[in-house]
Amino acid sequence: MSDSFDRAPGAGRGRSRGLGRGGGGPEGGGFPNGAGPAERPQHQPPPPPPQPKAPGFLQPPPLRQPRTAPPPGAQGEGPAGPARPPRPGALPEQSRPQRAPPSSLDKIPQQNSESAMAKPQVVVAPVLMSKLSATAPEFYPSGYSSNYTESYEDGCEDYPTLSEYVQDFLNHLTEQPGSFETEIEQFAETLNGWVTTDDALQELVELIYQQATSIPNFSYMGARLCNYLSHHLTISPQSGNFRQLLLQRCRTEYEAKDQAAKGDDGTRKRFHAFVLFLGELYLNLEIKGTNGQVTRADILQVGLRELLNALFSNPMDDNLICAVKLLKLTGSVLEDTWKEKGKTDMEEIIQRIENVVLDAHCSRDVKQMLLKLVELRSSNWGRVHATSTYREATPENDPNYFMNEPTFYTSDGVPFTAADPDYQEKYQELLEREDFFPDYEENGTDLSGAGDPYLDDIDDEMDPEIEEAYEKFCLESERKRKQ
């Protein structure tokens, strides 16, 4: 009984677990599944002698070995016993590290086995299983042609027809409008070598028109392209040059304006795209006169006025929205042109907008858009005039008129500027003081020449009190020097 009380709680249990889960004592009795003492490895060293226990303190249980370390006796060559039932929370059999054969274990250095027992297994991070690669091909968005630049550097040799070449260039400008300045010259030169017949020129005009009216974001770029080609295409057949054929194509669509404004949704949508393209064309298409003066096409101005009438005559929501967009785009230019000619067309349009807001059965949002447009026009279409120059500024119209004026001081040290009401009187007094001392600068520097009797008399005179103090100072200095 005394021996059992002397043993610390849990002492001697940890080592018996590593030897086969035996439930007996030193004799090894109680092995599960019929495993007897014969199955215990024969080369196990004897257990160390018990250490003396400190009186009054319980001995702590021995530390458990890491799970990643091989259990004691793993290198034994004896036949292994039956498989043990898995413990709760243990890893599956396939995820456990496989033991190497005895022959390979003999070749492993002892220091490696010790380090393996001290270091747990490192779990491989899932990022290593990513499919991303630094050598993957470069990504291009859908519809982008990676060999576009090379094809245009070689000219149009890789294109069997004119339509394919032009359509490819138009699609490229739609995706990359910033390349217009760098590639338009090469495009025009290629067209001059390819477009040599009336049919080819007609096909070119139709392709550009369809692209500009079918893709809303291309209307501005299409107008710029039309302006450039109208000045740089050399072909001028009897049927008309590029600009004339383009205006004829626009006139065909313009003549069906009344039916298009009343048509179905698809027809009205195409009509609205044509209206906005015509507005961009009016702003960007330049016509050079005989004397070199650049003007806009007056026929487009007249056409825009009639298109606005057609839109307001059919006050549906989409028609009114299209009219608002057109006036925001061209309203300031149209009004300036009409004023130069003495016309009041813009006043009539604004009056018509106000009537639509009052009478038409349009949505609330559209009415709000129309009112905002009227407000924009009342603010001169958002244009801000430049401030007047300094020469034109006056104290009445410029609050900062005297900001940069110098500051003067009276004889009493009171500052005054040109903004003071009695500025003239104070400034005249300042001039008189400067006349009284003509040979002195503002910092008191003597600019007079030597021999001025008036200034010499002023310099030689000394106040009696100051003279007496000066003599005392000289005597005191002499006495200290002698000491």
Side-chain angles (χ1 to χ4, degrees):
M1 294 294 291
S2 60
D3 295 337
S4 62
F5 282 97
D6 291 339
R7 186 181 64 182
R13 301 181 196 176
R15 298 186 181 276
S16 62
R17 293 175 183 173
L19 299 177
R21 294 284 180 181
E27 293 78 14
F31 285 89
N33 299 331
E39 299 178 1
R40 180 182 301 176
Q42 301 299 327
H43 61 279
Q44 287 293 337
Q51 299 293 334
K53 296 184 279 292
F57 294 92
L58 297 178
Q59 182 179 1
L63 297 177
R64 180 179 58 83
Q65 295 182 357
R67 294 182 179 179
T68 56
Q75 299 177 357
E77 298 180 2
R84 295 176 296 179
R87 292 176 296 170
L91 294 174
E93 193 66 28
Q94 60 271 17
S95 63
R96 296 182 181 179
Q98 301 294 332
R99 298 179 183 178
S103 59
S104 62
L105 290 175
D106 297 339
K107 300 178 183 180
I108 299 177
Q110 184 67 20
Q111 57 181 359
N112 293 343
S113 62
E114 294 178 358
S115 62
M117 295 176 61
K119 296 181 181 180
Q121 290 183 346
V122 179
V123 181
V124 179
V127 70
L128 300 178
M129 306 302 294
S130 175
K131 297 181 181 180
L132 298 178
S133 174
T135 59
E138 186 176 358
F139 169 75
Y140 292 100
S142 59
Y144 178 80
S145 177
S146 59
N147 57 353
Y148 173 83
T149 305
E150 292 79 359
S151 63
Y152 272 88
E153 290 178 353
D154 299 337
C156 58
E157 298 176 356
D158 298 336
Y159 294 90
T161 60
L162 173 65
S163 60
E164 294 183 5
Y165 173 71
V166 174
Q167 190 62 49
D168 193 9
F169 182 77
L170 296 178
N171 294 336
H172 174 66
L173 284 184
T174 303
E175 297 174 358
Q176 301 182 15
S179 62
F180 178 85
E181 301 290 344
T182 58
E183 299 178 2
I184 186 60
E185 184 177 356
Q186 176 65 27
F187 178 69
E189 292 178 0
T190 304
L191 291 182
N192 282 327
W194 199 330
V195 180
T196 56
T197 61
D198 296 354
D199 296 337
L201 187 60
Q202 288 279 2
E203 184 179 10
L204 174 63
V205 171
E206 185 64 24
L207 288 173
I208 297 176
Y209 175 83
Q210 292 297 335
Q211 185 82 0
T213 55
S214 60
I215 301 179
N217 294 334
F218 194 74
S219 58
Y220 168 70
M221 188 59 62
R224 291 185 62 191
L225 179 61
C226 292
N227 179 61
Y228 189 90
L229 295 180
S230 65
H231 296 294
H232 293 83
L233 282 183
T234 57
I235 181 175
S236 181
Q238 296 181 355
S239 59
N241 54 22
F242 177 84
R243 184 179 67 250
Q244 293 172 346
L245 293 179
L246 177 65
L247 294 178
Q248 291 178 11
R249 179 64 181 87
C250 294
R251 185 178 182 85
T252 303
E253 194 74 20
Y254 167 80
E255 291 176 350
K257 59 182 182 300
D258 296 328
Q259 293 78 10
K262 301 176 183 178
D264 55 4
D265 293 343
T267 304
R268 291 200 307 272
K269 186 176 181 180
R270 290 190 297 269
F271 175 64
H272 299 157
F274 161 72
V275 171
L276 296 179
F277 172 63
L278 206 66
E280 295 285 3
L281 206 59
Y282 173 69
L283 297 178
N284 292 277
L285 188 60
E286 300 174 348
I287 300 177
K288 295 182 179 180
T290 56
N291 55 354
Q293 184 180 4
V294 178
T295 59
R296 291 188 173 91
D298 292 337
I299 188 173
L300 295 179
Q301 175 190 340
V302 177
L304 291 177
R305 179 68 174 92
E306 296 299 325
L307 289 174
L308 287 171
N309 291 336
L311 292 172
F312 287 120
S313 300
N314 301 276
M316 291 178 279
D317 286 353
D318 52 355
N319 286 342
L320 296 177
I321 292 175
C322 180
V324 170
K325 291 180 179 180
L326 180 61
L327 287 174
K328 284 185 177 180
L329 179 65
T330 62
S332 59
V333 180
L334 289 175
E335 185 171 11
D336 293 344
T337 306
W338 288 332
K339 284 183 177 180
E340 291 177 359
K341 298 179 180 180
K343 297 182 178 180
T344 60
D345 291 35
M346 186 56 66
E347 298 292 343
E348 298 175 2
I349 292 175
I350 296 299
Q351 184 62 41
R352 192 159 189 178
I353 291 176
E354 294 176 354
N355 296 336
V356 168
V357 172
L358 294 175
D359 301 335
H361 299 284
C362 55
S363 65
R364 181 178 179 181
D365 295 338
V366 174
K367 289 183 179 181
Q368 190 69 19
M369 292 176 62
L370 294 172
L371 293 176
K372 288 292 183 180
L373 179 65
V374 175
E375 182 181 352
L376 178 64
R377 190 256 177 177
S378 63
S379 64
N380 197 18
W381 302 101
R383 294 178 291 186
V384 179
H385 292 288
T387 57
S388 59
T389 60
Y390 179 78
R391 291 190 300 267
E392 299 175 355
T394 60
E396 289 76 15
N397 61 15
D398 190 358
N400 299 324
Y401 182 80
F402 297 106
M403 177 180 291
N404 297 324
E405 291 291 335
T407 302
F408 304 98
Y409 294 87
T410 63
S411 58
D412 300 332
V414 179
F416 68 95
T417 61
D420 294 339
D422 51 351
Y423 168 76
Q424 292 294 338
E425 181 181 352
K426 294 180 180 179
Y427 189 72
Q428 186 64 30
E429 180 183 354
L430 180 63
L431 294 178
E432 291 176 358
R433 285 194 294 121
E434 290 181 354
D435 292 341
F436 185 71
F437 299 99
D439 296 326
Y440 279 84
E441 287 186 346
E442 293 181 0
N443 58 359
T445 305
D446 185 4
L447 300 180
S448 63
D452 192 330
Y454 178 78
L455 294 177
D456 291 342
D457 293 342
I458 295 177
D459 294 337
D460 293 341
E461 290 181 359
M462 185 179 295
D463 187 86
E465 185 178 357
I466 298 177
E467 185 177 0
E468 181 182 358
Y470 180 71
E471 290 178 357
K472 290 181 179 181
F473 171 75
C474 292
L475 292 175
E476 185 70 20
S477 300
E478 183 67 19
R479 184 178 61 82
K480 291 182 179 181
R481 187 179 62 82
K482 289 181 180 182
Q483 290 178 357

